[in-house]
mmCIF file with all atom_site columns, all heavy atoms in Angstrom:
data_model
loop_
_atom_site.group_PDB
_atom_site.id
_atom_site.type_symbol
_atom_site.label_atom_id
_atom_site.label_alt_id
_atom_site.label_comp_id
_atom_site.label_asym_id
_atom_site.label_entity_id
_atom_site.label_seq_id
_atom_site.pdbx_PDB_ins_code
_atom_site.Cartn_x
_atom_site.Cartn_y
_atom_site.Cartn_z
_atom_site.occupancy
_atom_site.B_iso_or_equiv
_atom_site.pdbx_formal_charge
_atom_site.auth_seq_id
_atom_site.auth_comp_id
_atom_site.auth_asym_id
_atom_site.auth_atom_id
_atom_site.pdbx_PDB_model_num
ATOM 1   N N   . GLU U 1 57  ? -3.171 0.683  11.136 1.00 97.00 ? 57  GLU U N   1
ATOM 2   C CA  . GLU U 1 57  ? -2.604 1.863  11.751 1.00 97.00 ? 57  GLU U CA  1
ATOM 3   C C   . GLU U 1 57  ? -2.329 1.558  13.224 1.00 97.00 ? 57  GLU U C   1
ATOM 4   O O   . GLU U 1 57  ? -3.144 0.831  13.863 1.00 97.00 ? 57  GLU U O   1
ATOM 5   C CB  . GLU U 1 57  ? -3.529 3.098  11.649 1.00 97.00 ? 57  GLU U CB  1
ATOM 6   C CG  . GLU U 1 57  ? -3.884 3.515  10.243 1.00 97.00 ? 57  GLU U CG  1
ATOM 7   C CD  . GLU U 1 57  ? -2.727 3.951  9.396  1.00 97.00 ? 57  GLU U CD  1
ATOM 8   O OE1 . GLU U 1 57  ? -1.636 4.260  9.956  1.00 97.00 ? 57  GLU U OE1 1
ATOM 9   O OE2 . GLU U 1 57  ? -2.889 3.956  8.171  1.00 97.00 ? 57  GLU U OE2 1
ATOM 10  N N   . THR U 1 58  ? -1.212 2.060  13.728 1.00 94.00 ? 58  THR U N   1
ATOM 11  C CA  . THR U 1 58  ? -0.792 1.854  15.102 1.00 94.00 ? 58  THR U CA  1
ATOM 12  C C   . THR U 1 58  ? -0.449 3.149  15.768 1.00 94.00 ? 58  THR U C   1
ATOM 13  O O   . THR U 1 58  ? 0.211  3.968  15.151 1.00 94.00 ? 58  THR U O   1
ATOM 14  C CB  . THR U 1 58  ? 0.399  0.867  15.170 1.00 94.00 ? 58  THR U CB  1
ATOM 15  O OG1 . THR U 1 58  ? 0.037  -0.364 14.572 1.00 94.00 ? 58  THR U OG1 1
ATOM 16  C CG2 . THR U 1 58  ? 0.776  0.598  16.653 1.00 94.00 ? 58  THR U CG2 1
ATOM 17  N N   . ARG U 1 59  ? -0.912 3.320  16.965 1.00 91.00 ? 59  ARG U N   1
ATOM 18  C CA  . ARG U 1 59  ? -0.535 4.530  17.692 1.00 91.00 ? 59  ARG U CA  1
ATOM 19  C C   . ARG U 1 59  ? 0.968  4.656  17.800 1.00 91.00 ? 59  ARG U C   1
ATOM 20  O O   . ARG U 1 59  ? 1.644  3.690  18.193 1.00 91.00 ? 59  ARG U O   1
ATOM 21  C CB  . ARG U 1 59  ? -1.148 4.540  19.137 1.00 91.00 ? 59  ARG U CB  1
ATOM 22  C CG  . ARG U 1 59  ? -0.811 5.790  19.937 1.00 91.00 ? 59  ARG U CG  1
ATOM 23  C CD  . ARG U 1 59  ? -1.403 5.691  21.352 1.00 91.00 ? 59  ARG U CD  1
ATOM 24  N NE  . ARG U 1 59  ? -1.046 6.820  22.151 1.00 91.00 ? 59  ARG U NE  1
ATOM 25  C CZ  . ARG U 1 59  ? -1.496 7.048  23.380 1.00 91.00 ? 59  ARG U CZ  1
ATOM 26  N NH1 . ARG U 1 59  ? -2.293 6.142  23.972 1.00 91.00 ? 59  ARG U NH1 1
ATOM 27  N NH2 . ARG U 1 59  ? -1.147 8.084  24.041 1.00 91.00 ? 59  ARG U NH2 1
ATOM 28  N N   . PRO U 1 60  ? 1.569  5.769  17.412 1.00 88.00 ? 60  PRO U N   1
ATOM 29  C CA  . PRO U 1 60  ? 3.065  5.873  17.441 1.00 88.00 ? 60  PRO U CA  1
ATOM 30  C C   . PRO U 1 60  ? 3.587  5.892  18.872 1.00 88.00 ? 60  PRO U C   1
ATOM 31  O O   . PRO U 1 60  ? 2.902  6.354  19.763 1.00 88.00 ? 60  PRO U O   1
ATOM 32  C CB  . PRO U 1 60  ? 3.270  7.212  16.692 1.00 88.00 ? 60  PRO U CB  1
ATOM 33  C CG  . PRO U 1 60  ? 2.027  8.005  16.902 1.00 88.00 ? 60  PRO U CG  1
ATOM 34  C CD  . PRO U 1 60  ? 0.964  6.972  16.878 1.00 88.00 ? 60  PRO U CD  1
ATOM 35  N N   . SER U 1 61  ? 4.768  5.411  19.015 1.00 76.00 ? 61  SER U N   1
ATOM 36  C CA  . SER U 1 61  ? 5.444  5.470  20.285 1.00 76.00 ? 61  SER U CA  1
ATOM 37  C C   . SER U 1 61  ? 6.665  6.354  20.188 1.00 76.00 ? 61  SER U C   1
ATOM 38  O O   . SER U 1 61  ? 7.439  6.256  19.272 1.00 76.00 ? 61  SER U O   1
ATOM 39  C CB  . SER U 1 61  ? 5.870  4.042  20.729 1.00 76.00 ? 61  SER U CB  1
ATOM 40  O OG  . SER U 1 61  ? 6.623  4.109  21.897 1.00 76.00 ? 61  SER U OG  1
ATOM 41  N N   . THR U 1 67  ? 6.397  -0.155 22.555 1.00 80.00 ? 67  THR U N   1
ATOM 42  C CA  . THR U 1 67  ? 5.626  -0.477 21.324 1.00 80.00 ? 67  THR U CA  1
ATOM 43  C C   . THR U 1 67  ? 4.151  -0.506 21.656 1.00 80.00 ? 67  THR U C   1
ATOM 44  O O   . THR U 1 67  ? 3.778  -0.918 22.759 1.00 80.00 ? 67  THR U O   1
ATOM 45  C CB  . THR U 1 67  ? 6.113  -1.750 20.678 1.00 80.00 ? 67  THR U CB  1
ATOM 46  O OG1 . THR U 1 67  ? 5.987  -2.834 21.610 1.00 80.00 ? 67  THR U OG1 1
ATOM 47  C CG2 . THR U 1 67  ? 7.541  -1.683 20.213 1.00 80.00 ? 67  THR U CG2 1
ATOM 48  N N   . ASN U 1 68  ? 3.343  -0.203 20.692 1.00 85.00 ? 68  ASN U N   1
ATOM 49  C CA  . ASN U 1 68  ? 1.871  -0.275 20.850 1.00 85.00 ? 68  ASN U CA  1
ATOM 50  C C   . ASN U 1 68  ? 1.333  -1.315 19.893 1.00 85.00 ? 68  ASN U C   1
ATOM 51  O O   . ASN U 1 68  ? 1.950  -1.644 18.864 1.00 85.00 ? 68  ASN U O   1
ATOM 52  C CB  . ASN U 1 68  ? 1.250  1.087  20.598 1.00 85.00 ? 68  ASN U CB  1
ATOM 53  C CG  . ASN U 1 68  ? 1.649  2.128  21.573 1.00 85.00 ? 68  ASN U CG  1
ATOM 54  O OD1 . ASN U 1 68  ? 1.677  1.888  22.798 1.00 85.00 ? 68  ASN U OD1 1
ATOM 55  N ND2 . ASN U 1 68  ? 2.030  3.300  21.080 1.00 85.00 ? 68  ASN U ND2 1
ATOM 56  N N   . THR U 1 69  ? 0.166  -1.847 20.220 1.00 92.00 ? 69  THR U N   1
ATOM 57  C CA  . THR U 1 69  ? -0.470 -2.829 19.335 1.00 92.00 ? 69  THR U CA  1
ATOM 58  C C   . THR U 1 69  ? -1.329 -2.083 18.315 1.00 92.00 ? 69  THR U C   1
ATOM 59  O O   . THR U 1 69  ? -1.616 -0.895 18.420 1.00 92.00 ? 69  THR U O   1
ATOM 60  C CB  . THR U 1 69  ? -1.343 -3.813 20.117 1.00 92.00 ? 69  THR U CB  1
ATOM 61  O OG1 . THR U 1 69  ? -2.320 -3.061 20.882 1.00 92.00 ? 69  THR U OG1 1
ATOM 62  C CG2 . THR U 1 69  ? -0.495 -4.624 21.045 1.00 92.00 ? 69  THR U CG2 1
ATOM 63  N N   . VAL U 1 70  ? -1.699 -2.790 17.262 1.00 96.00 ? 70  VAL U N   1
ATOM 64  C CA  . VAL U 1 70  ? -2.498 -2.174 16.197 1.00 96.00 ? 70  VAL U CA  1
ATOM 65  C C   . VAL U 1 70  ? -3.778 -1.619 16.700 1.00 96.00 ? 70  VAL U C   1
ATOM 66  O O   . VAL U 1 70  ? -4.498 -2.289 17.472 1.00 96.00 ? 70  VAL U O   1
ATOM 67  C CB  . VAL U 1 70  ? -2.742 -3.269 15.073 1.00 96.00 ? 70  VAL U CB  1
ATOM 68  C CG1 . VAL U 1 70  ? -3.671 -2.682 13.991 1.00 96.00 ? 70  VAL U CG1 1
ATOM 69  C CG2 . VAL U 1 70  ? -1.446 -3.750 14.468 1.00 96.00 ? 70  VAL U CG2 1
ATOM 70  N N   . SER U 1 71  ? -4.114 -0.439 16.271 1.00 96.00 ? 71  SER U N   1
ATOM 71  C CA  . SER U 1 71  ? -5.359 0.229  16.673 1.00 96.00 ? 71  SER U CA  1
ATOM 72  C C   . SER U 1 71  ? -6.460 0.104  15.634 1.00 96.00 ? 71  SER U C   1
ATOM 73  O O   . SER U 1 71  ? -7.626 0.033  16.022 1.00 96.00 ? 71  SER U O   1
ATOM 74  C CB  . SER U 1 71  ? -5.085 1.737  16.880 1.00 96.00 ? 71  SER U CB  1
ATOM 75  O OG  . SER U 1 71  ? -3.982 1.997  17.711 1.00 96.00 ? 71  SER U OG  1
ATOM 76  N N   . THR U 1 165 ? -0.335 10.426 14.148 1.00 91.00 ? 165 THR U N   1
ATOM 77  C CA  . THR U 1 165 ? -1.340 10.953 15.069 1.00 91.00 ? 165 THR U CA  1
ATOM 78  C C   . THR U 1 165 ? -1.805 9.796  15.980 1.00 91.00 ? 165 THR U C   1
ATOM 79  O O   . THR U 1 165 ? -1.405 8.664  15.820 1.00 91.00 ? 165 THR U O   1
ATOM 80  C CB  . THR U 1 165 ? -2.549 11.479 14.266 1.00 91.00 ? 165 THR U CB  1
ATOM 81  O OG1 . THR U 1 165 ? -3.028 10.423 13.401 1.00 91.00 ? 165 THR U OG1 1
ATOM 82  C CG2 . THR U 1 165 ? -2.159 12.694 13.467 1.00 91.00 ? 165 THR U CG2 1
ATOM 83  N N   . ASN U 1 166 ? -2.632 10.132 16.948 1.00 93.00 ? 166 ASN U N   1
ATOM 84  C CA  . ASN U 1 166 ? -3.118 9.173  17.914 1.00 93.00 ? 166 ASN U CA  1
ATOM 85  C C   . ASN U 1 166 ? -4.292 8.321  17.418 1.00 93.00 ? 166 ASN U C   1
ATOM 86  O O   . ASN U 1 166 ? -5.383 8.762  17.383 1.00 93.00 ? 166 ASN U O   1
ATOM 87  C CB  . ASN U 1 166 ? -3.532 9.909  19.218 1.00 93.00 ? 166 ASN U CB  1
ATOM 88  C CG  . ASN U 1 166 ? -3.966 8.907  20.273 1.00 93.00 ? 166 ASN U CG  1
ATOM 89  O OD1 . ASN U 1 166 ? -3.807 7.691  20.183 1.00 93.00 ? 166 ASN U OD1 1
ATOM 90  N ND2 . ASN U 1 166 ? -4.547 9.421  21.374 1.00 93.00 ? 166 ASN U ND2 1
ATOM 91  N N   . TRP U 1 167 ? -3.952 7.093  17.019 1.00 96.00 ? 167 TRP U N   1
ATOM 92  C CA  . TRP U 1 167 ? -4.986 6.203  16.490 1.00 96.00 ? 167 TRP U CA  1
ATOM 93  C C   . TRP U 1 167 ? -5.853 5.542  17.567 1.00 96.00 ? 167 TRP U C   1
ATOM 94  O O   . TRP U 1 167 ? -6.796 4.811  17.247 1.00 96.00 ? 167 TRP U O   1
ATOM 95  C CB  . TRP U 1 167 ? -4.358 5.155  15.571 1.00 96.00 ? 167 TRP U CB  1
ATOM 96  C CG  . TRP U 1 167 ? -3.723 5.765  14.394 1.00 96.00 ? 167 TRP U CG  1
ATOM 97  C CD1 . TRP U 1 167 ? -2.376 6.057  14.179 1.00 96.00 ? 167 TRP U CD1 1
ATOM 98  C CD2 . TRP U 1 167 ? -4.388 6.256  13.228 1.00 96.00 ? 167 TRP U CD2 1
ATOM 99  N NE1 . TRP U 1 167 ? -2.212 6.690  12.979 1.00 96.00 ? 167 TRP U NE1 1
ATOM 100 C CE2 . TRP U 1 167 ? -3.394 6.825  12.391 1.00 96.00 ? 167 TRP U CE2 1
ATOM 101 C CE3 . TRP U 1 167 ? -5.751 6.281  12.811 1.00 96.00 ? 167 TRP U CE3 1
ATOM 102 C CZ2 . TRP U 1 167 ? -3.729 7.421  11.137 1.00 96.00 ? 167 TRP U CZ2 1
ATOM 103 C CZ3 . TRP U 1 167 ? -6.061 6.871  11.602 1.00 96.00 ? 167 TRP U CZ3 1
ATOM 104 C CH2 . TRP U 1 167 ? -5.077 7.409  10.733 1.00 96.00 ? 167 TRP U CH2 1
ATOM 105 N N   . GLU U 1 168 ? -5.534 5.808  18.802 1.00 94.00 ? 168 GLU U N   1
ATOM 106 C CA  . GLU U 1 168 ? -6.351 5.317  19.903 1.00 94.00 ? 168 GLU U CA  1
ATOM 107 C C   . GLU U 1 168 ? -7.178 6.423  20.545 1.00 94.00 ? 168 GLU U C   1
ATOM 108 O O   . GLU U 1 168 ? -7.765 6.254  21.641 1.00 94.00 ? 168 GLU U O   1
ATOM 109 C CB  . GLU U 1 168 ? -5.474 4.643  20.969 1.00 94.00 ? 168 GLU U CB  1
ATOM 110 C CG  . GLU U 1 168 ? -4.722 3.416  20.451 1.00 94.00 ? 168 GLU U CG  1
ATOM 111 C CD  . GLU U 1 168 ? -3.848 2.792  21.528 1.00 94.00 ? 168 GLU U CD  1
ATOM 112 O OE1 . GLU U 1 168 ? -3.920 3.222  22.689 1.00 94.00 ? 168 GLU U OE1 1
ATOM 113 O OE2 . GLU U 1 168 ? -3.121 1.822  21.205 1.00 94.00 ? 168 GLU U OE2 1
#
Side-chain angles (χ1 to χ4, degrees):
E57 302 297 341
T58 301
R59 180 181 179 178
S61 174
T67 56
N68 296 314
T69 56
V70 175
S71 308
T165 56
N166 181 11
W167 295 101
E168 295 181 7

